[in-house]
Every structure is written in structure tokens, then in C-alpha cells.
Amino acid sequence: MLDSCKLKSACNLPLIYNKKKINTSGTSNADVPLADPGMYQLDITLRRGHSLAARDRGGTSDPYVKFKIGGKEVFRSKIIYKNLNPVWEEKACLLVDHLREPLYVKVFDYDFGLQDDFMGSAFLDLTQLELNRPTDVTLTLKDPHYPDHDLGIILLSVTLTPKEGEHRDVTMLMRKSWKRSSKFQTQSLRLSDVHRKSHLWRGIVSITLIEGRDLKAMDSNGLSDPYVKFRLGHQKYKSKIMPKTLNPQWREQFDFHLYEERGGIIDITAWDKDAGKRDDFIGRCQVDLSVLSREQTHKLELQLEEGEGHLVLLVTLTASATVSISDLSVNSLEDQKEREEILKRYSPLRIFHNLKDVGFLQVKVIRAEGLMAADVTGKSDPFCVVELNNDRLLTHTVYKNLNPEWNKVFTFNIKDIHSVLEVTVYDEDRDRSADFLGKVAIPLLSIQNGEQKAYVLKNKQLTGPTKGVIYLEIDVIFNAVKASLRTLIPKEQKYIEEENRLSKQLLLRNFIRTKRCVMVLINAAYYVNSCFDWDSPPRSLAAFVVVEDMLEVEEEEDDRDDKDSEKKGFINKIYAIQEVCISVQNILDEAASFGERIKNTFNWTVPFLSWLAIVALCVFTVVLYFIPLRYIVLVWGINKFTKKLRCPYAIDNNELLDFLSRVPSDVQVVQYQELKPDPSHSPCKRKKNNLG
């Protein structure tokens, strides 16, 4: 029987185990020396909770679980929404220096935009676990301030294994470590070398979110502002918000990577956006990929559980593209036969063969020098993350080294030649999320093939240098015609980007950028002003009627807003103001970026895009010379009006806006600007020194 009295005296938190499943009469680790560092591997499966405390107004909670050892958070589970009997089935693998520190388990209720509510906690005494034997554990949750309250139980499965050797590989779970502030969540992955070897995806899941039907009304006006969240493993995607509708039309397309051979489960939740307070839950559903056939598009109409309405999706499972990780000795482009095959695949003669396959990218991650020391020992445990849009691959970790050598080769398929290759160096920490060491962003069109270069690492915002350089050799092969055609379709969204936060500096910068662009439109403002000077009575009369109608509508909305605002608390008003400020910040950014992209098209910031614009204008001029404008407008109109009939689930797009989205703004130009390295970091000079 476990000695729970010691635990009570420590934190007034009693520990109760399932007596049928724990047997302490076997080989206990009580006699094992506890001072040896890194001796134990603790495998934990967080099973489920039962009869947890209700913390929300609806009589439910949105629980998640934290594990702590020695005051450090080592695991955080996913959130299970509106459930007092949640099922997690999440695994964590931890290295334990010694067994004197118990495992501290805390449960919280997630509150969007507010401080999360405490739901109870318990301790697990690691010295009482049997070695090399799976043990089912039942923890009774208690609140130290209210020890008599029944807060439910948490069920775990735990295995404690002794480890030999300081640097033995440990298969860490690829998991989310959600770090939340009031408005955003960031994802942190902790991976070991063993897991990274199997980090290649086996297929692509292409999802098109078409529409919602008869969704539940969550607002007082009988409507909702719905959006949808998708999650497949560690990958997530959030759709745009459709205001004031119960039958939203999204028409959004995105891809997930499929890591499991047998498929996986896509979790889908629908939400109603509420400014200044927590978003309302509309419903949930799931897609079991294991029952869907591959290389075929499936139209799914999914009934929302715990809510009302349907979601309509198109789901396609395809085989994985050419993505690989190999050692430097195994190089695709150095094999003459394989290089010829790649060049043939992207030759001008194969323009219409698989338009999505634009090109081939090979990245050699050779080494880094002079990295920042992230550990107290004055060293770091660096590993490298290579990202191209949503494709993300990792190197192994080089332990206790500020000048690591990886010598790895990564290959990617290019879907958009205007993509930006991001290479980030992290310091691996086994008891918390990885520390950032530096990053570079390299547009594919700026790459010089076959040249080994030293790139100065930048900070997270890519606005200035940080310590260290990284040596890369990159090759890009692509079909220019395919790349040009792909420029006129919507740009792929990154589904792991953080949501925007309110920043005074960012808001001011966006305001100044927008002000510069607005100065170009001064003449238009003078024209509007002339309407109120009655230079042209008919025009001024029309403007007067339009403005009067707008004011009437605004007055009605203001009356409704005044009534609603009386029901809001002070905190909700603060968050509402913050929401408005973030919206203003984003609108200013979009307006400034739009003007800067037009300017950068004409000043040849990206020569490929400027040439593409010139060629398109020349072709249009020739067409106009031979074909009357009215026929062109007629064909364009017929195409637009019949598009929905010919292709009901086509994604709406504007070719001109899609083109401009590829042109970098002034902020992006600074982020992509290559910093000059110290001459001592020159690869040629390094070779000479080695020879000397």
C-alpha cells in the first residue's frame, strides 16, 4: 500500500490508486539509487477523466491536463471541449533525473481570452512504481483550498524503465505543447532522433471546405458568425469567418500530411465568432480516413454532433510527393541518371502534365557555426527544421555543441515557385519546448543553384541578426510555364501560423505604411470632396442620398449596440476593444501591403513577376488588336456566370489579387534580405585554413 500520508502533508492533495491494478509487493524501485541523473524513462498514457468539475455556465468544462516534475511543465494535453468525462488517450515519454520529485498532475478548464479555471490536482509518487511493469493508476483530484470537494478522477497508465547511458535515444511523442495567451496559441514540438527518422509523411490529404447548412443560431439576431477548425494529429487549420449566416459558403482548400499508413481521424469543430468574449461552440464531427479509398475525391456531408446542421467537404487522399531525408553521401542531383530524370520531368515539353508539380527542391544542411549558448553549461543541443510552406522536415540533434555538423540532404516538391524556404535552428530541451536559436528565410527565386553559402541567422521576426551562421547548399529545378500558371491561383495558406497579437509598435508601423499608400489617393479624396462643394449638382445629390441611407443604418445599429453593451461586463468590453484594435492593425497591414506590392511589381523587386506582368500585358495587347473588346468581355462574362454550373465546387478567386499576393511587401523584402556574413565564415577561406 502506498504511503499517501507524506503526500498529504506536502500539499494536502491525497493520492488514490486503483488497488486492483497496482501491486507493490513486486520489484519496487525504492532500493534503487535515486541520485543517478537520467536513469529513468517514464512512459505515461493519459487515458481519461471521470466526473470532473463543471466550471462553465452551461454546466460543462473544457478540460486539459498538465504534467509537472520539479516545478517544470513537461507535458500539456489537448483540450476536450464541453465534456466532464473526457477521453484523451495521449502518450508522453519523459526522462527523469531522479525519483525523489513526484509527478504533479493538474487539470484546468480552458477559457478563451480569460484565465483558465483550476479543476483539481494530484501527485504521483514515482518511488512507489514497479520497474518495467505497466501500471494503471487512478488519481483523485483535490483542491488544496477546499479539500472536501469531489473534483473527479484521472486515469493513467504508467511504465517506469531504468535507462543506461546518458545519450541513449528516446522516442519522444510528437505532441502539442500549447502555450496560450489571451488571443493565440502556439505550437511546440519536442522530438528525439528516433522519431525524426520516421517523420516523413506517407500521403497528402486534400480537403476542400465547401459550405455549412442549417447551422445552429448562436447570436441574439438569430444568426451566427461561423468558422471551422480542423485537426489531424499535430496539424491544424482554421477557416475564415463568415459573418451573419447559418448557411456559410467557404470554398477553401488546404492539405494535411498523412503520417499513418492506415489513415487517421480528422477532428472538425464549428464555432461562432464573438468579439470580446469566448467563441460559442456550434458542433463537432470526424472523418475516418481509413475508410476512404485513395486517389479519389469523396464528397462528404457530415452531421454536426452536439449541435445542429451539416458541413459539406471534398476529401482526396493521394500518394506522397517526392519528399526525403538522406545523408550527404546520398545526393539525388549528383547521380547523373537521377538528375536527367528530374530535368526531364520539369522540361518545357511537359507543361500540362500534373500542373501542381511545379518543380524540385534539394536542400543540403551542412553545418552551423558560432551558435548561441542556450544551456547553463554554455553549450546547446541544436537541431534544424527545414520548412517549405506546410512541408516540415527535421535533422537529428547534435548534443552539447555550438558548431554542429548535420550533413543532411532534404528534397521537396515545389507547388509554388514563389514560396519561401525557412530554415530554423532550435536547442532541444527534454523537459520543455525547444529554444529558438536563429532563422533564415530564402525565397526560391533568389537561390543560386549549387552554391554553398553561409547565411547569417536572424531573430524570430527576421528583422535583425542573431548569433551564428548556417551553411546551406540549395538547388531548384522548375518548369517556368507551370510556375507562371500557378501564380494566378490562390496562394497556399500555412496552417501552423500564429494568430496576430496586438502590438503598439506593429500598429504604428502599419499606420505609417498605410499613410504612404494613401498619399497616392489624394486626388480621389479631392474628387469626393467636390461632391460636397456642389460643383456638379446631380453628382452631389446622389452622394447626399447615399450618405443619408448609410447614417440611418448606422443609427439603428448603434441603438442595438447600446442595448447589448449594457449586458456586457467590464472585462468583455476590454477584450472587445482589443479585438477591434487587432482588426484595425490587420486592415492597415493589408492596405499597406496591397499598395507596396503594386509598387514592387513596377520596380522589379522580383524580376520573374515583373516579366510575367509584361508578357501578360503584351499578350493582351495582341489579342485586343485582333479581337474586338466586346467579344472579350462577352467571353469573360459567360465564363464567370457559368463557372458555378460547370464546376459547382470551384474555389472563387481573383487572378489579379492572386498575382499580387506573390509580390513581397516592403516588410517581407526586409525579412528576405540576406545579411552579409563575417569574411571569416567564408567556405573558401575555411578550406584554405584547413589545407594550411
Side-chain angles (χ1 to χ4, degrees), residues 74 89 159 209 247 286 322 338 571 577 604:
V74 293
E89 293 297 337
T159 305
L209 173 61
N247 298 283
Q286 290 184 331
T322 309
E338 196 166 345
I571 294 179
I577 294 172
W604 294 77

Side-chain angles (χ1 to χ4, degrees), residues 443-461:
L444 298 186
L445 286 171
S446 68
I447 290 171
Q448 297 177 354
N449 286 352
E451 180 183 358
Q452 181 179 326
K453 294 182 67 174
Y455 292 89
V456 177
L457 293 173
K458 297 183 178 181
N459 55 27
K460 284 185 179 180
Q461 294 76 30

Side-chain angles (χ1 to χ4, degrees), residues 60-324:
T60 62
S61 292
D62 304 319
Y64 67 91
V65 179
K66 289 182 183 180
F67 293 162
K68 287 188 174 184
I69 295 180
K72 295 181 179 179
E73 181 180 323
V74 293
F75 174 81
R76 187 179 299 203
S77 75
K78 63 184 179 183
I79 302 166
I80 304 296
Y81 293 95
K82 297 187 181 299
N83 202 324
L84 298 182
N85 299 287
V87 177
W88 284 284
E89 293 297 337
E90 291 190 57
K91 296 181 180 180
C93 180
L94 311 174
L95 281 181
V96 183
D97 290 340
H98 52 76
L99 302 182
R100 288 192 296 270
E101 295 284 354
L103 177 71
Y104 190 20
V105 180
K106 302 179 74 174
V107 184
F108 291 90
D109 167 55
Y110 172 63
D111 282 330
F112 179 79
L114 301 172
Q115 184 176 357
D116 296 346
D117 298 321
F118 178 72
M119 296 179 63
S121 60
F123 277 119
L124 173 59
D125 188 351
L126 302 181
T127 63
Q128 299 300 320
L129 296 175
E130 298 180 41
L131 296 178
N132 301 312
R133 180 174 179 177
T135 305
D136 291 335
V137 178
T138 301
L139 299 177
T140 299
L141 298 175
K142 291 294 182 180
D143 186 338
H145 299 292
Y146 306 97
D148 297 332
H149 289 189
D150 183 10
L151 301 180
I153 59 175
I154 293 291
L155 303 178
L156 309 174
S157 291
V158 184
T159 305
L160 187 65
T161 311
K163 302 294 293 181
E164 296 179 2
E166 183 179 358
H167 300 300
R168 181 176 171 182
D169 287 337
V170 181
T171 303
M172 310 295 288
L173 178 70
M174 185 177 183
R175 64 173 177 83
K176 288 184 184 175
S177 176
W178 298 106
K179 291 185 177 182
R180 290 182 301 275
S181 68
S182 61
K183 297 304 296 179
F184 74 105
Q185 295 178 326
T186 60
Q187 181 188 49
S188 173
L189 302 178
R190 227 178 46 178
L191 303 164
S192 73
D193 297 345
V194 173
H195 192 85
R196 291 193 186 102
K197 292 176 184 176
S198 62
H199 189 53
L200 297 178
W201 47 93
R202 305 174 187 274
I204 302 293
V205 185
S206 180
I207 300 175
T208 303
L209 173 61
I210 302 297
E211 62 185 2
R213 298 175 183 170
D214 303 321
L215 300 184
K216 188 176 181 181
M218 306 303 293
D219 296 337
S220 57
N221 58 7
L223 299 172
S224 292
D225 305 312
Y227 66 91
V228 181
K229 290 182 179 180
F230 295 82
R231 177 176 174 178
L232 177 61
H234 70 281
Q235 306 166 91
K236 62 187 179 77
Y237 179 84
K238 178 182 174 182
S239 77
K240 59 188 176 186
I241 300 167
M242 304 302 292
K244 295 181 172 56
T245 180
L246 299 181
N247 298 283
Q249 297 284 326
W250 282 287
R251 310 286 170 138
E252 295 184 53
Q253 191 274 332
F254 57 95
D255 295 334
F256 279 154
H257 294 144
L258 189 60
Y259 292 90
E260 299 293 335
E261 192 72 56
R262 61 184 180 276
I265 302 293
I266 300 178
D267 293 312
I268 305 171
T269 53
W271 299 85
D272 167 57
K273 180 66 176 178
D274 284 329
K277 60 180 181 180
R278 183 179 175 184
D279 295 349
D280 297 321
F281 178 77
I282 295 179
R284 71 171 69 246
C285 56
Q286 290 184 331
V287 176
D288 187 354
L289 299 177
S290 63
V291 301
L292 301 180
S293 56
R294 303 204 172 209
E295 309 299 336
Q296 181 180 346
T297 299
H298 305 268
K299 180 185 176 184
L300 306 178
E301 296 186 15
L302 305 174
Q303 171 73 44
L304 290 176
E305 301 174 4
E306 305 175 32
E308 300 174 7
H310 297 77
L311 293 179
V312 180
L313 312 174
L314 298 181
V315 181
T316 307
L317 276 69
T318 57
S320 177
T322 309
V323 180
S324 67

